[in-house]
């Protein structure tokens, strides 16, 4: 019975069984949220030639009803797989889907489907356009037929044309090809891509959307750019399976996007998540005026284990996403609806976490919980913090330093922990001074899976990222724990890290939650709230 398996999640969406990858085409229609996903109905491994669009609906983003697949391979233009794409809500309120078909020649082409019956709020049936494929790659348009996929939600230009961008590749140059259309059927390739960058490889699942400069409210994808608006371009890179984004300006007249800081692809580059989180997509929730981000979280276990479990892949909790005050990054926070699953609350106020100490958080269902902590470090201790080693520029490596620091941290939470801590995943913070004579600090957030399971075969990479906050202020850390996923938000959502872990001992009632401080200086827990979480549908 899949439901009773220890790694099956309690409140993260998963299809009833088998392999799932990307989230495609999230939307809200007649008050109902829809999500579609790349699904192999036949097994727990990816099979790109059989991929269908799985379909689920919800009224609250938490409880989901699974419907039968919305799009399946059936035509020459998609017979080898119905791949990722997006929904666009047309001005008359009608949703349409553009998706990539892997056609009978194994070329990637773009297809259109429309709802069969607009009065059905569940949009159970979709009709393929007789004009499919609408866009095909060819040597004439210089599009590589094995690298032309994942059309975005379309946006409407002031010239009365729709625009979409599609991910592509020319050698090691990744690019977002631009197409325009007046009627959504005939698409014309623009002479210039929306954006490109050398050395990145294929751009999968591009996402392009406006964000407000001074407001956490979301904007419709067609919202016109102007002084109060920035644009975000996200691409998913196959080299490392990470989602990178840039923030910049969209020049609507020239139809090009200019990122403020160029495209950075090193370990410090802006990413939605510094753990496992890929092929994500946002949509504008017009009812609640927010932009919501969805991401696919793959397994970290070997394929044979996935086959044994009968499933692979889950969905991160939908996150509201907006531009940070600094304009330098996005902020993400689990949608507020998730708080409805909170039940019993355990609360600590003002507790001293002495250097070298571990304290158990009693009274919470440790395998399925939502934990939010605020730490406070004294200014005196901050001034004495260790100076960061000059070569320590990669936060992931910093987080892998196993020796207890002589200074500030690591402190944080040990989640999905066994009683005697043979197993635990450590979500923690480390603080360094930036230099001998510097008043600045470097704060690092880590999610360390290296001790998460006694089982050997899993990927237990230690994840880490810089956290751009002042450590003189309370340091916030929130973690959503759900059986085999740990989703963590540092600095109120400035840095996010998602991990997959498979404890052998820390299962069910044998799971514990601890707060710890491995540094030598004391840290104060200003407040800690741990909620047991109900399961969702
Ligand atoms: C990303 C991706 C997409 C493609 C889909 C196929 O994970 O490779 O580029 O459309 O998955 O399932």
């Amino acid at each position: 019975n899949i439901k009773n398996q220890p790694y099956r999640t309690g409140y993260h969406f998963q299809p009833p069984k088998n392999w799932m990858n990307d989230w495609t085409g999230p939307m809200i229609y007649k008050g109902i949220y829809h999500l579609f996903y790349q699904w192999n109905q036949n097994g727990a491994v990816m099979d790109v030639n059989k991929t269908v669009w799985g379909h689920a609906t919800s009224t609250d983003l938490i409880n989901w009803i699974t419907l039968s697949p919305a799009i399946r391979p059936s035509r020459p233009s998609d017979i080898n797989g119905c791949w990722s794409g997006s929904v666009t809500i047309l001005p008359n309120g009608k949703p349409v889907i553009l998706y990539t078909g892997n056609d009978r020649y194994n070329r990637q082409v773009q297809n259109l489907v429309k709802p069969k019956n607009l009065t059905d709020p569940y949009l159970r049936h979709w009709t393929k356009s007789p004009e499919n494929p609408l866009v095909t790659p060819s040597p004439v348009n210089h599009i590589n037929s094995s690298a032309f996929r994942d059309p975005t939600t379309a946006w409407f230009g002031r010239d009365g044309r729709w625009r979409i961008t599609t991910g592509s590749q020319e050698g090691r140059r990744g690019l977002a090809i631009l197409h325009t259309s007046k009627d959504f059927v005939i698409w014309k390739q623009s002479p210039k891509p929306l954006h490109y960058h050398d050395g990145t490889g294929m751009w999968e699942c591009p996402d392009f959307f406006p964000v407000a400069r001074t407001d956490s409210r979301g904007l419709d994808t067609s919202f016109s750019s102007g002084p109060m608006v920035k644009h975000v371009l996200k691409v998913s890179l196959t080299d490392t399976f990470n989602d990178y984004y840039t923030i910049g300006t969209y020049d609507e007249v020239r139809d090009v996007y200019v990122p403020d800081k160029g495209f950075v692809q090193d370990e410090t580059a802006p990413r939605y998540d510094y753990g496992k989180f890929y092929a994500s997509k946002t949509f504008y929730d017009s009812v609640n005026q927010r932009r919501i981000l969805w991401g696919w979280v793959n397994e970290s276990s070997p394929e044979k284990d996935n086959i044994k479990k009968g499933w692979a892949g889950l969905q991160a909790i939908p996150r509201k996403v907006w531009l940070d005050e600094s304009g330098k990054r996005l902020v993400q926070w689990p949608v507020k609806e998730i708080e409805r699953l909170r039940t019993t609350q355990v609360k600590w106020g003002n507790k001293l976490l002495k250097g070298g100490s571990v304290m158990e958080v009693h009274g919470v269902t440790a395998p399925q919980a939502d934990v939010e902590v605020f730490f406070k470090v004294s200014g005196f201790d901050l001034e004495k913090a260790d100076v960061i080693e000059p070569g320590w520029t990669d936060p992931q490596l910093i987080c892998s330093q196993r020796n207890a620091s002589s200074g500030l941290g690591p402190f944080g939470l040990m989640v999905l922990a066994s009683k005697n801590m043979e197993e635990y995943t450590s979500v923690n913070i480390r603080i360094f001074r930036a230099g001998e004579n510097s008043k600045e600090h470097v704060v690092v957030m880590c999610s360390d899976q290296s001790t998460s399971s006694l089982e050997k075969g899993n990927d237990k990479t230690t994840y880490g990222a810089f956290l751009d906050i002042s450590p003189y202020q309370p340091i916030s850390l929130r973690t959503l724990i759900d059986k085999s996923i740990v989703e963590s938000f540092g600095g109120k959502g400035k840095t996010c890290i998602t991990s997959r872990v498979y404890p052998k001992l820390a299962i069910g009632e044998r799971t514990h939650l601890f707060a710890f401080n491995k540094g030598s200086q004391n840290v104060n827990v200003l407040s800690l709230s741990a909620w047991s979480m109900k399961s969702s549908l």
Side-chain angles (χ1 to χ4, degrees), residues 21-22 38 46 48 51 83-84 149-150 204-205 278-279 296:
N21 55 295
D22 315 1
Q38 293 282 284
M46 192 171 191
V48 288
T51 304
W83 293 0
S84 293
R149 56 184 183 269
D150 312 335
E204 292 194 309
C205 302
Y278 191 66
W296 160 48

Side-chain angles (χ1 to χ4, degrees), residues 29 58 69 174-175 191 289 303 306 446 469 476:
Y29 179 69
S58 169
L175 60 160
Q289 298 187 345
E303 204 168 85
N306 302 341
C446 309
I469 54 164
S476 100

